[in-house]
Every structure is written in C-alpha cells, then in structure tokens.
C-alpha cells in the first residue's frame, strides 16, 4: 500500500470497532484514524481518542457531550453528538473508508450518507443491506463506491471471487457454526436462558449478534446480505452447518469447482482485508494447523427447530420491505430476550406474526423503509406484551 488510508469507524467501542483499532495500531504506516463514534460508551471512546487522535468524534447520546468535549477539545479533537452529526461526519473530505460497525438498523442512514459522499464502505453492519439492499447497492453503483464485506462469511466469498469476477457464480455456500444449541430439540429450547445463548462455541462477538447466531437469525440475515453483495438469486445461496468454523464460506462455479476460504476464527482477518484491499498485509495472527483439526464436518441446518433461517429465506423470496420487517422484529425480540421478557422460541413466533401483519410494500422508497421499521417495532412490542 503506497498511501495511508484515513478510516472512519462507526461504532468504535464495539467488538468489531475495537478489533479494527487493533489492526490499525499494528499497521500505522497503512492506516490513520480520522473519525471515531460510539453511542453510550463514553469512557472507552475518550480512551481510544486520546490514543489514536482522530480528527473528530461523535457520541450518539447527547447527555455525554459535555464530558467528552471537556476532555478532547483541548487536544484539538472536534466533538459532535447525536444522530444528525453521525450522518454528517461520514461526509468529511478527509475520509477514505468508512467502517460501519454499528449494531442493527442504526447503521442504515450513516451508510447512505457516506455512499452519497463517495466514501468506500467496509461493511460490518449486515442489517444495512438486509433492510434496504436494493437501495444501497444501486446508490453505490451510481456513486462508484465499493462495498467491502467485513462479515467473515461474506469476506470469504469476496476473497474466493478475487480473480474470478468474470466467471459466473453457480452458487455460494455460507457456513454456520450452528451456535451453542446445535442439535438441540425444540423441547430443550423452550427453557433456555440468555446466559446459555450468549456462550458461542467459536466466535467472540457482541450480545446481539451472539443471540442471532444461537437462533440462526444471523445466518438468515447473511443470506439476504449475500444476495445484494454478490447479485444472486435466492436459489444461488446455500447454507451448511460447519461446527469447527474453519471454512468460512465457499463459491461453486459453473465448471463444478468449489473455492473455499479457510482459517482460524479471527475477525481481525476479514477486517484487515476489507481495509487494505487489494493488498494483504503481514500479520502475526495465529496460524491454522491441519493436524489440530483432523476432521472438518458438515451438516444440514435444522430450519424446523430454528425457524428464523426459514423466515429469512421467506422474506428474501418475498422481496419488497419483507426483510426490513424481519430485521426490525428481530431487533425488538432480541432486546426483549436479553431482558428476560420473551422466551427463546417466542422470538421466532413474534417475527412470523410481524411478517404476516405489517403492511407489505412491493417497491419501497427510503421513507417506506423508515416507516416499515417504525411500524414493525410497535407491532412487535404489542405481540410481546
């Protein structure tokens, strides 16, 4: 890499954001931090800002503005607060790449604003494409913006496609660990608690995505994201359970060949690839040893027990605002599950009701997506209560 890339990290205090800063810290000759943002974790945001000296920071919660301003302003760091500031700061001329690591629907508007400003996107916020995939991909194409996937599965597909962009894809195969409840029955799942669901066997992730992984909703959202990232039909996306999480995903081509991207489960690898593409940077991450994994196994996902995967495929096939409904309902039920207000299996029941009851829009505009999100959250809370 010849020039330093200036990086804006939206959600710098979360799991992806902190690991991205690890990558940047070990490659100061390649990257510099231009913007850091957080919603509530003001103390960590201050600590990160003092270490990395960004041009600007945004704290989403206005209540923390004075605290962070008083500490960072004397250091020459610009301080802003609120959702509008988040949508504005991504348009700064000095930014090269925006890493969107916000959780859930909150990532949509800042990502749109960054694309409109011509910023390349390193996308860790899968919900952005789930909610408004057609709008986002069309806008990126219009503005000449590249979207580099950060999810390990989509990064794997992207890496398999490097050098193959002229060759048609027959299908992609997304791998899933199966989560902490792989092989369990619906009877067992009736009584599981958040403490059990938060114990992922292979990956260290935030609470929301860990629950999504346990319910297989994470894989369902990834199926929808893959459609938009790689311009695929529903029947070109397959899912297999791979408990070891060594093969991160695969691409099958029209000559029957399959390419797989492999490695130990470490989110710093796809983060670094998204930030450094088309280059690969040297890293001291742990290396995979085949002798440590003499068997790599595969299973069909159990979408009868884990209904969320089937609901995601249903939303994908329906198109329109269905995936927006799916996502909004899921965000509400996961939050409720983490607060012990709904059962594990009850989450799927509420999502299915929302898909059935919320108004369907075949060709939604941005306003339609925004209204769908609001309506779905209201309905989901009614179904929970």
């Amino acid at each position: 890499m010849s020039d330093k890339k200036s990086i804006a990290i939206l959600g710098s205090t979360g799991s992806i954001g902190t690991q991205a800063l690890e990558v940047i810290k070990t490659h100061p000759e390649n990257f510099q931090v231009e913007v850091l943002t957080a919603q509530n974790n003001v103390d960590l945001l201050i600590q990160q800002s003092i270490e990395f000296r960004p041009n600007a920071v945004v704290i989403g919660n206005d209540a923390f503005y004075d605290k962070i301003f008083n500490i960072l302003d004397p250091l020459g760091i610009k301080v802003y607060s609120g959702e509008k500031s988040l949508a504005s700061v991504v348009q700064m001329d000095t930014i090269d790449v925006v890493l969107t690591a916000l959780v859930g629907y909150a990532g949509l508007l800042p990502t749109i604003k960054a694309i409109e400003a011509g910023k390349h996107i390193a996308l860790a916020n899968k919900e952005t494409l789930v909610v408004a995939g057609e709008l986002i991909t069309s806008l990126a194409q219009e503005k000449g913006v590249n979207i580099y996937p950060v999810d390990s599965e989509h990064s794997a597909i992207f890496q398999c496609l490097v050098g193959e962009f002229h060759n048609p894809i027959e299908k992609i195969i997304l791998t899933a660990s199966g989560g902490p409840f792989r092989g369990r029955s619906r009877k067992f799942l009736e009584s599981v608690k958040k403490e059990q669901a938060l114990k992922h066997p292979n990956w260290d992730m935030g609470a929301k995505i860990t629950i999504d992984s346990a319910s297989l909703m994470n894989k369902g959202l990834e199926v929808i994201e893959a459609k938009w990232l790689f311009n695929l039909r529903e029947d070109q996306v397959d899912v297999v359970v791979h408990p070891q999480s060594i093969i991160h995903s695969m691409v099958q081509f029209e000559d029957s060949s399959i390419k797989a991207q492999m490695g130990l489960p470490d989110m710093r690898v796809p983060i670094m690839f998204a930030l450094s593409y088309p280059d690969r940077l040297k890293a001291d991450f742990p290396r995979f040893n085949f002798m440590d994994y003499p068997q790599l196994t595969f299973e069909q996902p159990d979408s009868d027990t884990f209904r969320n995967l089937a609901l995601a495929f249903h939303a994908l096939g329906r198109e329109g605002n269905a995936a927006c409904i799916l996502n909004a309902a899921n965000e509400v039920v996961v939050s409720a599950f983490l607060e012990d207000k709904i059962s594990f299996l009850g989450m799927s029941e509420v999502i299915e009701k929302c898909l059935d009851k919320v108004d369907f829009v075949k060709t939604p505009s941005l306003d339609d997506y925004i209204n769908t999100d609001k309506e779905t959250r209201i309905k989901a809370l009614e179904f929970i209560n």
Side-chain angles (χ1 to χ4, degrees), residues 87-159:
S88 297
V89 77
V90 295
Q91 302 175 62
M92 289 169 48
D93 291 339
T94 48
I95 295 171
D96 296 315
V97 178
V98 176
L99 170 60
T100 60
L102 300 170
V103 176
Y105 177 82
L108 178 60
L109 188 57
T111 303
I112 289 174
K113 293 300 182 183
I115 294 172
E116 286 177 344
K119 309 302 179 186
H120 296 304
I121 305 295
L123 187 68
N125 174 264
K126 64 176 66 67
E127 291 87 350
T128 292
L129 284 182
V130 170
V131 168
E134 187 169 10
L135 187 154
I136 294 291
T137 50
S138 297
L139 183 62
Q141 191 170 13
E142 176 191 330
K143 298 293 183 180
V145 164
N146 293 322
I147 299 177
Y148 302 114
V150 171
D151 263 349
S152 60
E153 294 83 358
H154 302 90
S155 176
I157 299 299
F158 180 50
Q159 292 181 58

Side-chain angles (χ1 to χ4, degrees), residues 1-7 20-33 51-52 272 275 281-282:
M1 293 175 64
S2 54
D3 298 322
K4 272 190 182 185
K5 289 183 181 178
S6 293
I7 312 295
L21 287 172
E22 282 184 48
V23 168
I24 290 170
K25 185 176 182 177
T26 55
H27 294 88
E29 70 283 3
N30 299 116
F31 308 112
Q32 62 188 25
V33 176
E51 179 176 0
F52 290 93
M272 189 164 71
L275 295 180
L281 303 181
K282 185 175 175 61

Side-chain angles (χ1 to χ4, degrees), residues 50 113 144 171 191 226 231 247 255 275 324 358 382:
I50 291 172
K113 293 300 182 183
K171 71 174 179 177
S191 58
N231 192 27
I247 295 177
D255 64 352
L275 295 180
C324 182
V358 175
E382 288 174 357

Side-chain angles (χ1 to χ4, degrees), residues 14 51 56 66 83 89 143 160 168 231 243 286 308 314 317 322 341 356 384-385:
E51 179 176 0
D66 288 342
E83 288 183 17
V89 77
K143 298 293 183 180
C160 289
N231 192 27
N308 283 350
H314 168 72
K341 293 178 179 177
D356 185 46
I384 291 169
N385 298 324

Side-chain angles (χ1 to χ4, degrees), residues 170-283:
E170 187 165 281
K171 71 174 179 177
I172 67 167
I173 304 160
L174 298 174
T175 56
S177 68
F181 304 136
R182 178 177 64 89
R184 297 292 194 173
S185 66
R186 288 186 67 83
K187 185 169 181 56
F188 174 86
L189 295 176
E190 286 174 359
S191 58
V192 299
K193 301 298 182 186
K194 65 185 178 188
E195 290 78 12
Q196 297 165 277
L198 286 168
K199 292 179 180 176
H200 195 281
N202 300 331
W203 293 95
D204 179 19
M205 306 177 291
K208 195 263 182 184
I209 191 173
T210 304
I211 300 301
D212 282 348
S213 180
S215 72
L216 286 195
M217 179 56 86
N218 188 51
K219 205 53 50 182
L221 299 178
E222 288 174 2
V223 166
I224 299 169
E225 182 185 8
K227 169 194 164 57
W228 295 112
L229 275 174
F230 305 111
N231 192 27
L232 302 171
R233 301 184 309 275
E234 179 186 353
D235 63 353
Q236 289 180 290
V237 185
D238 201 1
V239 175
V240 298
V241 174
H242 169 49
Q244 297 80 22
S245 295
I246 296 301
I247 295 177
H248 299 306
S249 279
M250 296 165 268
V251 179
Q252 182 169 302
F253 297 97
E254 291 184 328
D255 64 352
S256 81
S257 297
I258 295 177
K259 288 175 76 170
Q261 191 268 332
M262 305 171 64
L264 294 172
D266 187 337
M267 281 306 301
R268 293 173 299 175
V269 177
I271 290 168
M272 189 164 71
F273 190 73
L275 295 180
S276 66
Y277 182 82
D279 299 312
R280 287 189 184 271
L281 303 181
K282 185 175 175 61

